[in-house]
C-alpha cells in the first residue's frame, strides 16, 4: 500500500511539473515550446507584437486591459499602472481570471479620460456589442491615448457560444474611425503557410483529444489522453508548425493571416 501511495504521489508530482512547464510556454513560448504548445505560432507572434509595443512606452502610463483573462502580458508593462477588466459571462471560467473588475461588456466602469493606453488581446471577436464597447474605450482614453489590439482573422470558433465576428483590415479601419480613432498601424502576424500550419495543428490536437475523451476520462483513458496528446504535439504538431514557419519566412509572410494587430490613437 505504501509503495502504491508513493507511486501515485510521484505520478501526480510529474504531471504537475509537466503542466507547470506547459503553462510557462502557453503565452510566451520559447523556441523549444513548439514541442509543447500546439498553438505555438499564434502565441509566439502575438507575444512578440505586444513585447514590441511595450518597448515603445515610457514608465508611468495608466493601462487598461479590456478582456484581460489571466493578464498574460502584464509583466511586459512593469512600471505602469495596470488594470484588467473582464465580462461576467464568457467562455472562460470566472474563477480562473485575474480581473480587477467585472463589467457588462459595454460600459467600462471608469470615468472619462482616465487611461493613457487600452489594450485588448483576442477580445473583439467575443464582444457582442462591439461598437458600444469601442466607443466607451474611446471615452476612457485620454486625448491622444492609444488603443492596441489583436484580433484573429482566421481561427476556428472558440469560447462558444461567445464568438461573434472576424474583421478584415478594412473592417478594423471602419469600426475604429466611426468610433473616433485614427489608425496608426495595422499589421498581420503570419502568412499563408504559418496560418495553415497553425490551423492544422489546432485541428489535430482537438481531434486527438475528442477521440480520447470518448467514454469518459477515468483510469487508463485519462493516462492515454495525458500522454497521447503530448506525443501528438511533439511529433506531429511541432513538425507541421516548423514547416509553416520556415515557408512563411521564405515567402515573407505573404497571404492570409491568423491575426491582425491594430494600433490606433484617440482623436
Amino acid at each position: 500500500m505504501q509503495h502504491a501511495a508513493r507511486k501515485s504521489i510521484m505520478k501526480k508530482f510529474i504531471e504537475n511539473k509537466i503542466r507547470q512547464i506547459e503553462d510557462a510556454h502557453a503565452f510566451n513560448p520559447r523556441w523549444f515550446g513548439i514541442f509543447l504548445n500546439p498553438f505555438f505560432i499564434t502565441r509566439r507572434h502575438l507575444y512578440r507584437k505586444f513585447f514590441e509595443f511595450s518597448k515603445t512606452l515610457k514608465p508611468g502610463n495608466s493601462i487598461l486591459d479590456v478582456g484581460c483573462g489571466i493578464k498574460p502580458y502584464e509583466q511586459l508593462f512593469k512600471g505602469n499602472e495596470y488594470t484588467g477588466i473582464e465580462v461576467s459571462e464568457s467562455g472562460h471560467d470566472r474563477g480562473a481570471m485575474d480581473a480587477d473588475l467585472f463589467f457588462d461588456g459595454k460600459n467600462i466602469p471608469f470615468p472619462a479620460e482616465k487611461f493613457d493606453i487600452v489594450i485588448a488581446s483576442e477580445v473583439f471577436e467575443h464582444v457582442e456589442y462591439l461598437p458600444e464597447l469601442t466607443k466607451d474605450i474611446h471615452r476612457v482614453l485620454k486625448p491622444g491615448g492609444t488603443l492596441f489590439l489583436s484580433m484573429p482573422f482566421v481561427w476556428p470558433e472558440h469560447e462558444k457560444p461567445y464568438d461573434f465576428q472576424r474583421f478584415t483590415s478594412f473592417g478594423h479601419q471602419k469600426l475604429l474611425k466611426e468610433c473616433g480613432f485614427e489608425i496608426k498601424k495595422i499589421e498581420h502576424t503570419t502568412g499563408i503557410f504559418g496560418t495553415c500550419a497553425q490551423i492544422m495543428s489546432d485541428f489535430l490536437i482537438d481531434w486527438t483529444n475528442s477521440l480520447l475523451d470518448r467514454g469518459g476520462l477515468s483510469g487508463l483513458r485519462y493516462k492515454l489522453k495525458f500522454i497521447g496528446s503530448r506525443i501528438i504535439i511533439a511529433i506531429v504538431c511541432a513538425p507541421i508548425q516548423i514547416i509553416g514557419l520556415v515557408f512563411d519566412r521564405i515567402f515573407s509572410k505573404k497571404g492570409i493571416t491568423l491575426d491582425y494587430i491594430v494600433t490606433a490613437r484617440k482623436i
Side-chain angles (χ1 to χ4, degrees):
M1 286 293 290
Q2 290 182 350
H3 175 72
R6 285 197 298 268
K7 189 175 180 180
S8 176
I9 292 171
M10 182 57 67
K11 285 182 179 179
K12 288 289 186 183
F13 176 79
I14 293 172
E15 285 183 16
N16 288 335
K17 282 295 181 183
I18 291 173
R19 293 187 191 279
Q20 287 174 12
I21 294 171
E22 290 173 341
D23 288 345
H25 290 271
F27 289 93
N28 178 23
R30 304 298 193 270
W31 66 267
F32 56 88
I34 202 166
F35 297 100
L36 304 170
N37 190 338
F39 315 113
F40 177 89
I41 291 176
T42 187
R43 294 285 175 79
R44 184 66 172 166
H45 283 310
L46 287 173
Y47 187 88
R48 283 180 173 177
K49 292 299 182 182
F50 275 84
F51 175 80
E52 290 168 4
F53 174 68
S54 72
K55 292 305 178 184
T56 68
L57 306 179
K58 295 180 180 179
N61 294 287
S62 54
I63 299 175
L64 177 65
D65 186 344
V66 176
C68 64
I70 62 170
K71 296 182 180 175
Y73 305 116
E74 182 180 15
Q75 76 278 6
L76 296 176
F77 299 94
K78 291 179 180 178
N80 297 282
E81 179 188 337
Y82 195 97
T83 305
I85 61 173
E86 260 292 355
V87 292
S88 300
E89 293 186 16
S90 71
H92 289 294
D93 175 16
R94 177 167 174 166
M97 295 179 184
D98 191 21
D100 297 294
L101 288 171
F102 288 88
F103 76 120
D104 63 4
K106 291 191 292 184
N107 303 295
I108 297 173
F110 290 102
E113 301 184 2
K114 177 173 176 58
F115 297 98
D116 298 294
I117 296 160
V118 172
I119 65 173
S121 173
E122 310 295 271
V123 171
F124 273 26
E125 73 271 24
H126 301 296
V127 179
E128 187 172 0
Y129 307 101
L130 188 53
E132 291 89 342
L133 177 62
T134 308
K135 289 175 182 176
D136 217 41
I137 288 173
H138 184 277
R139 179 186 65 82
V140 300
L141 272 171
K142 296 176 182 178
T146 299
L147 169 61
F148 186 79
L149 70 92
S150 71
M151 182 179 179
F153 180 57
V154 176
W155 197 256
E157 291 180 352
H158 56 290
E159 298 181 28
K160 302 174 185 178
Y162 305 100
D163 190 351
F164 303 113
Q165 59 253 323
R166 304 286 185 273
F167 284 174
T168 64
S169 61
F170 302 101
H172 283 292
Q173 292 179 51
K174 182 177 184 295
L175 171 71
L176 293 175
K177 286 180 179 178
E178 288 176 351
C179 294
F181 288 94
E182 175 190 11
I183 303 293
K184 303 298 290 184
K185 187 191 301 184
I186 298 181
E187 304 171 274
H188 61 268
T189 56
T190 60
I192 182 67
F193 295 101
T195 299
C196 289
Q198 180 60 92
I199 294 300
M200 189 175 296
S201 175
D202 172 72
F203 168 79
L204 288 171
I205 195 61
D206 185 63
W207 179 72
T208 299
N209 287 334
S210 67
L211 284 179
L212 295 174
D213 279 344
R214 291 179 181 176
L217 283 178
S218 59
L220 179 61
R221 190 168 291 275
Y222 171 82
K223 295 177 183 177
L224 285 173
K225 181 177 181 180
F226 185 84
I227 297 170
S229 62
R230 286 157 178 80
I231 291 174
I232 293 297
I233 292 169
I235 69 173
V236 180
C237 295
I240 289 171
Q241 293 189 90
I242 290 170
I243 292 169
L245 288 169
V246 169
F247 276 89
D248 250 9
R249 180 176 288 269
I250 292 172
F251 289 93
S252 303
K253 295 184 181 179
K254 300 294 185 183
I256 197 166
T257 185
L258 282 170
D259 296 274
Y260 282 110
I261 310 294
V262 184
T263 308
R265 184 178 71 88
K266 176 178 177 176
I267 54 177

